[in-house]
Amino acid sequence: MSDQEILDLAEEFAHYRRTVLEEVEVPGPAAVRRTARGRGRRRFATTTATVLALFGGAAVGYATMNGPDREPGPVDPTSAPSASPSATATASATASPSATASNGGASPTVAAPNGRIGRAQLLAATVSLPAWTTPAECPTGRVRLGAEPAREGVNELVALDYGDLDGDGATETVALVRCLFGTRGPFQVVAFDRDASGRVVTLGRVAGTASPTPGWVTALDVRDDGEVRVEVLDVAPGGGWPMKNSQRQWRGYRWTGDAFDQVSGPSTFGPNPRSADLSITATDLVLTPAADDSRSGTVTVRIRNDADRTPPGVLFTIELPKALRPVGDGWSGCDIGTGSTVLVSCQISAVPAHGEMRRTLELRVAAGTSLAPGKATLWTWSRDPDMDPWLDNNSDDNESTFGYR
């Protein structure tokens, strides 16, 4: 081997140390189910490494750099698909046409580029990101993905999985990406590949959040047959809404040659069972003098549930000026807090479906205390036994006011 060949080989080995060793990490549980996929590629890598070993230890490292990428780390755990009506789409994977080369009358098939892209490699690349289907100020087009914790307005790379999506015999990469725009996502699942020169290219958008549903994406799973399964929720967690109260679905997608079409799982969500439709109103408060020079009056609060479901519990809250004090048995089950205003929170029995509840509350102004006419605000919402709120199908009428004078 000439001195120049040794120098070239040393340079390639240094490049290998810089770009590949940082990608090596211990495979997680998700790598177990991909073992069968990689056996053929590992046999090829082993044969290549054996041949290159004849040229010295540095050449073996170079062979590793050009072989398959590392097995990916764990992605979010998966569970069995929910028993829901399946989508009727029946798209099938279309193999990409193979390039051929003429060689003395023979036309051997050229292997498709290896599209397994490691996490660090994808974070280092500028990728073409499809448009977001959920309206948000999220970067799109030619962007860089960010690692957790990413800053607001940056597309965060959440998880990766791998599989042969287009039937060309090579592996592609599927990424779960989230735009950190507020607490509610949005998410999209995007498939990436490499072109013949090794550059990262976007194969297409698989799925993602949309309005009104799905509101959240929790996991992805690429099957051995190339189907990409995505777990979605109807309601995004946040704003007091816990993820446990959201409906979950697994939906499957397959590459058709032009785009990803849904081929399995439900395509819509039904009404969330943890939802109601409450409204609240109250009569005005008219204060009348008492014998001790105080003034008092009553307010009748009316809470109605127009949904088909009865929530486990209902709360309502009233914010009062400090001069108005709750008195009497009508406030049973209420917590009264005093600060710059009087804030009263009351737990009441469940309001039945298409039913209502009325409660009469007495309020008093102490003798010698002045109170100008004004308005008080009240709210209502339903809750579960853990005090987590239910959805409300029409939250505009969950707040109201009443006058006092």
Side-chain angles (χ1 to χ4, degrees):
M1 181 179 293
S2 68
D3 293 342
Q4 183 60 46
E5 288 174 325
I6 294 173
L7 290 175
D8 291 343
L9 192 58
E11 181 179 355
E12 294 290 355
F13 182 64
H15 178 70
Y16 154 71
R17 292 178 58 86
R18 292 194 303 271
T19 62
V20 175
L21 290 185
E22 67 179 20
E23 287 293 315
V24 177
E25 61 184 61
V26 179
V32 175
R33 58 185 169 75
R34 288 187 285 271
T35 299
R37 307 180 201 167
R39 286 176 178 168
R41 292 190 294 272
R42 284 196 294 274
R43 285 196 295 272
F44 172 78
T46 302
T47 303
T48 305
T50 302
V51 173
L52 292 178
L54 299 175
F55 297 95
V60 175
Y62 183 62
T64 306
M65 181 183 72
N66 285 276
D69 289 347
R70 62 168 177 84
E71 291 290 327
V75 298
D76 293 340
T78 60
S79 59
S82 59
S84 304
S86 297
T88 58
T90 56
S92 61
T94 303
S96 302
S98 299
T100 58
S102 176
N103 183 12
S107 299
T109 300
V110 178
N114 182 8
R116 180 184 290 271
I117 307 164
R119 180 178 177 85
Q121 293 171 331
L122 196 56
L123 290 173
T126 298
V127 299
S128 179
L129 195 68
W132 296 88
T133 56
T134 303
E137 296 176 5
C138 298
T140 188
R142 300 292 293 172
V143 300
R144 292 281 294 271
L145 302 179
E148 188 182 5
R151 65 184 185 277
E152 182 82 6
V154 172
N155 297 316
E156 176 192 0
L157 179 58
V158 179
L160 290 173
D161 205 1
Y162 302 88
D164 184 1
L165 308 181
D166 54 11
D168 64 357
T171 299
E172 284 78 46
T173 299
V174 182
L176 176 58
V177 180
R178 178 189 178 194
C179 173
L180 298 185
F181 182 77
T183 60
R184 295 175 178 266
F187 286 89
Q188 63 173 311
V189 178
V190 184
F192 296 101
D193 201 354
R194 283 195 179 98
D195 62 15
S197 63
R199 291 175 299 186
V200 176
V201 294
T202 301
L203 188 61
R205 182 182 185 275
V206 181
T209 52
S211 181
T213 63
W216 201 255
V217 179
T218 58
L220 62 88
D221 173 42
V222 182
R223 289 185 166 178
D224 291 339
D225 62 359
E227 181 179 329
V228 181
R229 297 171 67 244
V230 180
E231 187 183 41
V232 295
L233 307 182
D234 60 338
V235 182
W241 177 260
M243 187 178 292
K244 67 180 178 67
N245 285 349
S246 297
Q247 296 182 95
R248 294 174 177 257
Q249 292 178 355
W250 279 97
R251 301 178 180 181
Y253 301 84
R254 193 179 294 281
W255 178 247
T256 65
D258 298 312
F260 285 92
D261 286 350
Q262 185 176 353
V263 296
S264 66
S267 57
T268 60
F269 283 99
N272 191 293
R274 298 175 180 85
S275 61
D277 186 6
L278 301 183
S279 60
I280 188 168
T281 57
T283 59
D284 287 340
L285 172 66
V286 179
L287 298 168
T288 58
D292 61 356
D293 291 332
S294 65
R295 292 180 294 157
S296 64
T298 60
V299 171
T300 299
V301 175
R302 173 180 175 266
I303 299 176
R304 180 166 179 80
N305 179 15
D306 290 321
D308 296 330
R309 291 163 293 278
T310 300
V314 172
L315 292 87
F316 73 92
T317 299
I318 303 178
E319 186 175 19
L320 302 167
K322 290 186 68 173
L324 278 175
R325 294 304 176 100
V327 294
D329 296 336
W331 300 95
S332 176
C334 299
D335 294 324
I336 302 173
T338 303
S340 58
T341 60
V342 177
L343 191 65
V344 185
S345 297
C346 304
Q347 300 184 42
I348 60 176
S349 58
V351 180
H354 300 289
E356 67 177 46
M357 181 280 307
R358 294 174 183 259
R359 180 178 285 199
T360 299
L361 307 170
E362 183 179 359
L363 292 163
R364 180 175 299 171
V365 177
T369 302
S370 62
L371 176 66
K375 289 185 177 294
T377 304
L378 60 165
W379 306 265
T380 188
W381 65 95
S382 50
R383 60 168 179 83
D384 64 17
D386 296 328
M387 297 298 291
D388 291 320
W390 272 26
L391 290 177
D392 198 286
N393 298 328
N394 178 21
S395 59
D396 292 341
D397 54 8
N398 287 49
E399 179 180 337
S400 182
T401 62
F402 65 87
Y404 54 83
R405 61 184 188 274

